[in-house]
Amino acid sequence: GATPPPQSVGLAIGPASCSAGKAGDFGCSGISLRARLPHGAMGGSDGNDIWGWTDPQTQREYALVGQTTGTAFVDVTDATAPRYLGRLPTQTTASAWRDVKVYQNHAYVVADSAGPHGMQIFDLTRLRFLPSIPTMFTPDAVYTGFANAHNLAIDESTGFAYAVGTNTCNGGLHMIDIRTPESPVFA
């Protein structure tokens, strides 16, 4: 039979079963759409990255959505009713290249082609108790050892972050000791 159109769940759209290669407006192969939030519902326009974090204390699950104008935080614990909690605006200007990774309950955000953005550091445990939703956040720290980075990798076993495509180190790996999450040090 035909797939019914997606239904609204608050700001979310969905669900839609995968049928004949489509789940709502999206192509699929055996995976149905539980729900989705349009970028406009998360205070942004376009997206370019997504990462996740599970709060070890509450077991709540979050999507960290890289957008052209910042990073959106979405509670996805109930997959059928994602809740947009707020955003961390870009440190400088809009960019189609933003990357987000997590280490020790902190999000690390870099951007390329956004001027002297550096690496934003955000304590994700702040998502536990919000005075209002949505909340406009500020970073807990900003690492300024580079201006821009195209990508970020973190070795969670050692506590080192590796920024790639920066304006330093001839565009190679810019290595940062993040073992003290809000006090990064060039390695």
Side-chain angles (χ1 to χ4, degrees), residues 67-108:
Q67 298 179 305
T68 55
T69 57
T71 305
F73 301 99
V74 181
D75 184 331
V76 295
T77 305
D78 179 351
T80 61
R83 290 182 341 137
Y84 167 62
L85 301 176
R87 64 185 295 99
L88 174 65
T90 182
Q91 197 65 22
T92 52
T93 61
S95 171
W97 296 284
R98 192 167 310 280
D99 198 17
V100 184
K101 297 295 185 292
V102 172
Y103 174 72
Q104 288 189 358
N105 302 323
H106 286 76
Y108 294 83

Side-chain angles (χ1 to χ4, degrees), residues 3-6 13 16-17 21-28 33 36:
T3 302
I13 298 169
S17 297
K22 292 291 239 180
D25 294 335
F26 301 96
C28 66
L33 173 70
R36 76 173 181 90

Side-chain angles (χ1 to χ4, degrees), residues 2 7 9 15 26 32 35 41 44 57 63-64 71-72 85 100 105 111 120 137 149 151-152 157 159 171:
Q7 302 299 310
V9 179
F26 301 96
S32 296
Q57 181 177 326
L64 317 176
T71 305
L85 301 176
V100 184
N105 302 323
Q120 295 174 308
F137 296 106
N151 205 337
L152 183 67
S157 67

Side-chain angles (χ1 to χ4, degrees), residues 92-135:
T92 52
T93 61
S95 171
W97 296 284
R98 192 167 310 280
D99 198 17
V100 184
K101 297 295 185 292
V102 172
Y103 174 72
Q104 288 189 358
N105 302 323
H106 286 76
Y108 294 83
V109 183
V110 299
D112 199 359
S113 298
H117 185 278
M119 180 173 65
Q120 295 174 308
I121 303 163
F122 179 78
D123 181 351
L124 292 164
T125 64
R126 291 169 59 189
L127 300 176
R128 291 177 185 155
F129 307 102
L130 299 176
S132 63
I133 296 175
T135 296

Side-chain angles (χ1 to χ4, degrees), residues 37-45 67:
L37 283 177
H39 284 285
M42 295 183 285
S45 57
Q67 298 179 305

